[in-house]
Amino acid sequence: MRIPIFIVLILIIFSCQSKKSEKTQNAELNTEAEIIKSENIILNDTVVYLSGDNDMALIKMTLVPNGTFDFYMSIYPEITLENEVETEAENDIINLNGTWSGNGETMSLRFANRKNDTLNLNDIFDVNYKDGNEFKVIDQNTVEIDYSLDKLNIWGISCYKTKN
């Protein structure tokens, strides 16, 4: 009597193990099916982010299809009144360039190394002025931007994306 019960228990255990194994395999297949590799961003046209009307600066960031970009920023002079005469300070101009790469909705901008430069990307891409996940400063030379957006806040100024 014990032998038939023992055989039945062994069959039940093997039966459960094979179902568990099938479930594990199905779960692994489903997980693999859900992983979708995002395609690299390919630009057919030059993309420009250009600042809107403001009293602070002209900003132009140009993404070229060959994987490079140029960043230009001209900070408007501060106008002060001294003895009722307007004086203007010199314009500060920032010219930077680098390479870009991207996949899906995220584009990584890698700025070229700068010698004797105190420029901090955290100043240009200031988290206090961003809307949502517009950008993220990765390190002293790299910024990730959300390429799917039509507007980025650079230095607190709205810059609108256009394609040429």
Side-chain angles (χ1 to χ4, degrees), residues 49-120:
Y49 288 88
L50 186 61
S51 58
D53 291 337
N54 69 83
D55 295 334
M56 296 172 41
L58 168 68
I59 298 173
K60 183 177 182 182
M61 184 167 65
T62 306
L63 306 173
V64 185
N66 68 2
T68 64
F69 72 91
D70 293 312
F71 180 88
Y72 174 84
M73 181 172 168
S74 175
I75 301 171
Y76 297 143
E78 186 177 325
I79 298 174
T80 60
L81 292 174
E82 289 182 17
N83 297 330
E84 298 183 29
V85 176
E86 291 185 8
T87 60
E88 293 184 6
E90 288 186 29
N91 279 16
D92 286 329
I93 295 177
I94 299 169
N95 266 318
L96 305 171
N97 58 28
T99 58
W100 64 264
S101 62
N103 56 34
E105 296 178 351
T106 304
M107 182 176 282
S108 180
L109 305 175
R110 178 113 177 112
F111 287 81
N113 286 331
R114 303 170 304 274
K115 292 183 180 180
N116 302 327
D117 193 359
T118 59
L119 180 68
N120 185 340

